[in-house]
Amino acid sequence: MSWLHIGEILRTNAKKYPEKIAIKDLNCSLTFRVYDERTNRLANGLLKRGLRKGDKIAVLMNNRAEFMELYAAAAKAGLIIVPLNFRLLPEDLYWIVNNAECKMVIVEERYYQVTIDNWDLVKKFGLDILDHIVLADKTFTVADNWSYFEDIVKEGEDEYPTVKVDPEDTWILLYTSGTTGRPKGVVRSHRSYTSFFLINAAEFSFTPSDYGLVLMPLSHVNSTFYSFVFTYIGASVYIHREYGFNPEEVLEIFDREKITFTSLIPTHYNLILNLPSEVKNKYDLSSIRSLLTSSAPATKEMKYGVMELFKGVQLFEAYGSTEAGLVTILRPEDQFDKVGSIGLECIGSDRIRILDPNTRDPTPDGEIGELFSRSPMQMSGYYKLAEKTAASLDSDGFFSAGDMAKKDEDGYYHLVDRKANMIITGGEHVFPSEVEKVIINHPAIVECAIVGLWDVKWGEAVNCICALSSDFTPSDSLAKEILEFCRDKLPRFKVTKQVLFIDYDEIPRTGSGKIIHRLLRDRYNEEQAEKSKNS
């Protein structure tokens, strides 16, 4: 017997904890019994619509309980969910729908019109879409060939589907956010997710008494990880339904719901910490037992601030990827002794390999190389991209997301940067994160990205693109001040040649909040080329 997948474990937990809250959001609350019944009906309703095991459903919606119902129903029916990032442009969304060969499209009301307006992007590929579903009240009028989500739930029987689902079957096809190019479909099996749930329950000491908060989009791997881990162990999860990050609102949810855990990026933590003291002190945060920060380096100052605000909290820092799952964890006891480290390998993972990117030979401790990992959380491969799958693996099946790292004398790993973001200026190699870690400490800056822009002398020149705190305004004098701030903290060739200002909301990001350096680089190279042409 293998470990149960999420549909099977939901059936079990519905018997163990029938009246316990499984999922809650702003508008609804589902017990494990109701969650299990509705997902049985939804799974059978989807099969009645003509879907068969292995068929794919594209889902375009914001965080809400129904999104988790769809994931669980798909697990029961042997179907595959293709979650769409609502931040993408229509052309990118429908490229994914076509590439994945989806048989059904499910959208929530707010995305219905953009779906209708851009349907030609699907039709031109001749894709055979069996059905179109909208998640909306019936007072919302839809086209004749569209159906309502709740009608599918009502059509299905409250019986566990008879479809046989194996551990290696695909559950979710996640498309990477494309920090380095066109999104790739990451094939993730039931086994890979079950491995994550059990490993993380052990790493974080989660129990059925925990209550997790999901803030990042459920279209992203982080939220599918840190939502269903609670379902798996019989704990509760609150799904935040808002469409942006409001730091005070998050504190209010912590207090009202008595949340015990959430996963955020450093930017989120900094926005919370920058709230006025009188706002932060309004809320009881004593229920928070553990917190996770990931997707970007966390400064010592941020960590101290988190420890001060959330008294007695266990702060974890993690590194992972959509493809590899969770790779390393920096545990609470190491937060200040190993600042800047991503920690050690997770439970159940093989020893990480740091390899020369050209020869694939091991690098000595302290030297930078490409990080390769192997664990049961790893993807099955890239969808329709056998060559890219093979290129991402070493001869023993260890995977690399293209991140550069080094190992210190104590065996702890330190992430340097993505291989694709490396700047070559005058023959010297500069990793953006090295410079970003320095510049982010300037009091005016809340977010920054270091990119290489074309330069007639150096080939590429180091440039800083930054968003400012509300207390500061862009000016030439501030740009000079930031440059001076860097000069005695970095080697000369790593010092940024110019400082460019951008509004915080204009910074392009992945679903997990990572800055997409490639898009910034393209944008500012185009702007500079246009200026040169007109000068």
Side-chain angles (χ1 to χ4, degrees):
M1 176 184 171
S2 61
W3 293 108
L4 302 182
H5 63 63
I6 201 68
E8 295 168 322
I9 205 72
L10 180 54
R11 175 177 57 183
T12 299
N13 286 342
K15 301 298 183 184
K16 291 171 66 177
Y17 314 105
E19 302 310 316
K20 182 178 181 179
I21 297 300
I23 315 174
K24 187 175 180 181
D25 67 15
L26 192 62
N27 295 334
C28 78
S29 180
L30 303 179
T31 64
F32 275 97
R33 177 181 58 80
V34 174
Y35 188 14
D36 184 49
E37 289 174 359
R38 280 181 57 82
T39 51
N40 281 344
R41 292 184 182 280
L42 180 56
N44 287 313
L46 291 169
L47 294 172
K48 276 188 172 182
R49 291 294 179 112
L51 295 178
R52 296 292 178 264
K53 180 182 175 180
D55 283 344
K56 303 180 193 74
I57 305 171
V59 180
L60 179 59
M61 63 177 68
N62 291 96
N63 284 6
R64 54 193 301 157
E66 291 91 343
F67 208 155
M68 289 193 67
E69 287 183 313
L70 275 166
Y71 278 123
K76 292 181 176 186
L79 302 171
I80 300 168
I81 296 294
V82 182
L84 301 175
N85 183 348
F86 57 86
R87 296 188 177 100
L88 294 179
L89 295 172
E91 183 177 348
D92 296 321
L93 290 172
Y94 288 109
W95 182 89
I96 292 172
V97 171
N98 282 293
N99 183 257
E101 299 173 292
C102 295
K103 292 291 186 179
M104 181 179 284
V105 175
I106 301 180
V107 303
E108 72 172 283
E109 179 180 329
R110 68 185 286 130
Y111 299 118
Y112 171 76
Q113 195 58 50
V114 72
T115 305
I116 293 291
D117 291 345
N118 292 279
W119 199 248
D120 285 346
L121 293 171
V122 170
K123 288 197 297 185
K124 74 176 183 181
F125 288 92
L127 194 61
D128 180 23
I129 302 291
L130 288 177
D131 218 337
H132 320 76
I133 313 298
V134 66
L135 179 56
D137 187 271
K138 284 198 172 181
T139 57
F140 183 80
T141 304
V142 297
D144 291 341
N145 61 335
W146 283 73
S147 305
Y148 294 97
F149 181 86
E150 285 300 322
D151 284 346
I152 299 182
V153 177
K154 290 174 184 175
E155 289 170 11
E157 299 82 12
D158 179 19
E159 295 176 0
Y160 196 92
T162 58
V163 179
K164 186 178 183 298
V165 180
D166 296 317
E168 296 305 322
D169 287 341
T170 303
W171 179 28
I172 304 176
L173 177 57
L174 282 155
Y175 278 76
T176 61
S177 303
T179 58
T180 57
R182 179 68 91 175
K184 298 187 290 289
V186 177
V187 180
R188 296 202 60 93
S189 67
H190 291 280
R191 172 197 53 76
S192 72
Y193 271 101
T194 300
S195 299
F196 175 89
F197 303 147
L198 295 170
I199 287 169
N200 275 257
E203 286 282 12
F204 290 90
S205 301
F206 290 142
T207 73
S209 63
D210 272 300
Y211 190 7
L213 170 63
V214 172
L215 285 156
M216 286 193 263
L218 277 165
S219 58
H220 186 265
V221 72
N222 180 284
S223 287
T224 54
F225 280 168
Y226 290 106
S227 55
F228 285 104
V229 64
F230 295 106
T231 302
Y232 205 92
I233 64 171
S236 306
V237 62
Y238 186 93
I239 309 299
H240 186 44
R241 288 187 68 157
E242 291 306 308
Y243 307 108
F245 185 84
N246 181 324
E248 183 175 359
E249 184 180 26
V250 171
L251 295 185
E252 190 273 329
I253 295 172
F254 285 160
D255 184 358
R256 167 168 47 87
E257 299 293 329
K258 303 307 174 192
I259 299 296
T260 64
F261 169 87
T262 197
S263 170
L264 299 172
I265 62 175
T267 301
H268 291 153
Y269 285 110
N270 285 323
L271 289 170
I272 290 172
L273 295 175
N274 287 333
L275 288 170
S277 296
E278 59 269 23
V279 173
K280 291 183 286 191
N281 293 336
K282 283 166 52 179
Y283 302 101
D284 177 6
L285 307 176
S286 60
S287 63
I288 298 290
R289 187 175 63 81
S290 55
L291 293 169
L292 173 63
T293 179
S294 62
S295 298
T299 65
K300 183 183 289 188
E301 291 73 21
M302 189 209 85
K303 293 179 182 183
Y304 276 125
V306 169
M307 301 286 197
E308 177 63 26
L309 181 60
F310 301 93
K311 306 293 184 186
V313 73
Q314 298 281 293
L315 180 63
F316 294 80
E317 193 168 356
Y319 161 73
S321 66
T322 304
E323 297 93 334
L326 202 63
V327 176
T328 63
I329 287 185
L330 186 68
R331 298 187 60 79
E333 60 269 24
D334 295 323
Q335 288 299 326
F336 296 106
D337 292 337
K338 290 293 180 180
V339 174
S341 169
I342 56 173
L344 300 170
E345 294 92 343
C346 293
I347 293 171
S349 299
D350 210 329
R351 290 291 285 173
I352 284 171
R353 295 176 176 179
I354 306 296
L355 306 180
D356 183 288
N358 298 314
T359 65
R360 293 272 174 102
D361 293 328
T363 60
D365 288 357
E367 290 193 14
I368 296 171
E370 192 169 349
L371 188 152
F372 285 79
S373 66
R374 184 172 68 175
S375 85
M377 296 177 277
Q378 197 164 301
M379 69 171 181
S380 304
Y382 290 119
Y383 186 62
K384 298 181 180 176
L385 295 170
E387 289 184 7
K388 286 188 180 294
T389 301
S392 70
L393 302 171
D394 76 357
S395 57
D396 296 317
F398 282 67
F399 170 79
S400 171
D403 290 321
M404 306 299 285
K406 59 185 178 182
K407 183 170 69 172
D408 68 21
E409 65 277 7
D410 299 318
Y412 286 72
Y413 299 95
H414 298 256
L415 205 61
V416 179
D417 217 315
R418 289 195 72 86
K419 186 165 60 174
N421 288 339
M422 185 176 69
I423 301 165
I424 302 176
T425 179
E428 299 281 3
H429 291 186
V430 178
F431 289 101
S433 61
E434 298 176 278
V435 186
E436 290 165 355
K437 287 175 184 176
V438 171
I439 292 182
I440 197 64
N441 289 306
H442 190 283
I445 296 176
V446 293
E447 192 78 281
C448 70
I450 297 297
V451 298
L453 300 183
W454 181 84
D455 184 88
V456 66
K457 181 178 181 181
W458 303 108
E460 281 186 306
V462 180
N463 283 257
C464 172
I465 300 167
C466 61
L468 300 178
S469 162
S470 58
D471 297 331
F472 294 83
T473 55
S475 67
D476 290 343
S477 59
L478 180 58
K480 289 177 182 177
E481 180 185 318
I482 294 169
L483 289 174
E484 289 302 320
F485 179 80
C486 299
R487 289 196 198 283
D488 61 348
K489 299 176 180 67
L490 291 165
R492 186 175 177 182
F493 68 90
K494 294 182 181 181
V495 174
T496 181
K497 298 299 184 287
Q498 65 175 333
V499 175
L500 304 166
F501 299 110
I502 189 173
D503 288 340
Y504 179 84
D505 292 336
E506 288 185 29
I507 299 175
R509 299 177 187 277
T510 67
S512 64
K514 294 178 183 176
I515 295 173
I516 307 177
H517 289 69
R518 169 181 56 83
L519 294 183
L520 286 173
R521 184 169 60 243
D522 292 348
R523 169 182 164 178
Y524 284 92
N525 268 328
E526 287 175 9
E527 287 184 6
Q528 290 197 1
E530 192 64 29
K531 286 179 183 176
S532 299
K533 191 194 308 181
N534 296 331
S535 62

